[in-house]
Amino acid sequence: MKSTVFKVGDVTVGGEHTVVIAEAGVNHLKDLALAEKLISSASAAGVDIVKFQTYDAGKLTTKKAPRFWSWEGEHIKDGSQYDSYSILATPERDFTQSLLDLCKKHSVEFMSTPFDIDSATMLAEIGCKAFKIASGDITNIPLLRHLAKLKLPIFLSTGASSIPEIRHAIGEIEKIADVPICIMQCTLCYPTRARDVNLSALLHLRKEFPGYILGFSDHSIGPVIPAASPLYECKVIEKHYTTDKTLPDSAYHWLSMDPEEMTMMVDMLRQVEKSVGSGVKSL
């Protein structure tokens, strides 16, 4: 749905305030005490939404699929992608409900990325107010159609996607329901070097998809690049987040922002927002 503004719970998306999403993913390590530390520190840093990942390893990959990443912290050194995903798979309703309740407690909005239809249904049933679609699922038409039927806002990540693929995904969603969609620029490199970020791709997306809210799912290191994205009409910033970059089990801790960096990014972002101005040269 072409929209200048929409709501995710109490969070307004598309207004003057650039929405910050802390991508906690599975960095909670299935430990609710650590999850609360993640959520509370993100809230203190000025984050609007804390996002997690909800998946069943058996529905995401085959048991013999080779790993598509190389990380020295694996439990099973010569294992499969299934082995990696199984450690922190989070399809359990009770655990996910606890994450949502902790977000309420600390005054941030809860959101998650479902990687299968059952996970999406469960998230909607417990009160999730919006969905993030991972870049790898932008051509997963059955999942897109199912999410559209749930009639909640969608943040559509576009890493490794062509303009026709993005257009097709949006078309499939909008055939089912008129739901708000935020198109997220993304580069699938972990981490992303500055020269590969391509912030100005947001201008290309603006030209191809006028009227849609734009966001930026960033994998660069540090706060500078995402803080600059409002200069390219970006209204949502998503950044990987952890409380401690040295924690085990998740392959994302080391490239995530910690609380100090997230606070710095939010402060820089608010300064950039103020600096954008009217766009009119005048005295």
Side-chain angles (χ1 to χ4, degrees), residues 73-251:
E74 297 287 358
H75 286 215
I76 303 174
K77 299 301 180 184
D78 297 321
S80 66
Q81 195 66 46
Y82 176 85
D83 295 323
S84 298
Y85 282 149
S86 295
I87 295 170
L88 297 174
T90 52
E92 301 90 351
R93 179 185 291 259
D94 289 347
F95 181 82
T96 309
Q97 180 72 64
S98 295
L99 294 177
L100 188 150
D101 291 342
L102 286 169
C103 285
K104 287 182 180 178
K105 176 182 176 181
H106 293 284
S107 302
V108 290
E109 196 62 50
F110 167 90
M111 193 165 71
S112 189
T113 297
F115 286 86
D116 59 79
I117 287 172
D118 290 338
S119 293
T121 299
M122 181 269 287
L123 286 167
E125 288 174 350
I126 68 170
C128 184
K129 301 290 183 13
F131 297 113
K132 164 77 184 300
I133 296 176
S135 293
D137 278 327
I138 197 168
T139 55
N140 185 346
I141 303 305
L143 179 61
L144 298 184
R145 289 173 177 167
H146 182 75
L147 291 173
K149 290 175 184 176
L150 297 174
K151 297 185 178 180
L152 294 171
I154 289 172
F155 295 80
L156 181 68
S157 197
T158 62
S161 301
S162 66
I163 294 296
E165 285 174 329
I166 300 168
R167 199 179 306 283
H168 184 216
I170 292 172
E172 290 295 328
I173 293 167
E174 292 182 341
K175 282 179 186 177
I176 304 295
D178 191 21
V179 298
I181 297 171
C182 174
I183 304 171
M184 306 282 285
Q185 159 62 5
C186 179
T187 301
L188 290 184
C189 298
Y190 297 83
T192 304
R193 297 173 297 183
R195 68 187 186 192
D196 295 325
V197 169
N198 197 14
L199 271 180
S200 58
L202 286 159
L203 302 179
H204 187 192
L205 290 171
R206 165 64 61 238
K207 179 181 177 182
E208 295 288 342
F209 303 99
Y212 288 88
I213 292 171
L214 301 180
F216 177 40
S217 182
D218 179 42
H219 303 124
S220 68
I221 298 295
V224 175
I225 291 171
S229 62
L231 298 174
Y232 293 85
E233 301 186 40
C234 175
K235 293 296 183 180
V236 179
I237 293 170
E238 179 187 34
K239 195 77 173 166
H240 281 277
Y241 184 68
T242 186
T243 57
D244 182 349
K245 297 186 182 191
T246 66
L247 286 170
D249 296 341
S250 170

Side-chain angles (χ1 to χ4, degrees), residues 52-67:
F52 298 93
Q53 296 176 9
T54 307
Y55 63 87
D56 181 327
K59 295 176 181 175
L60 188 53
T61 182
T62 65
K63 291 188 176 181
K64 295 183 179 180
R67 288 190 177 114

Side-chain angles (χ1 to χ4, degrees), residues 278 280-283:
S278 66
V280 176
K281 174 62 178 174
S282 62
L283 294 178

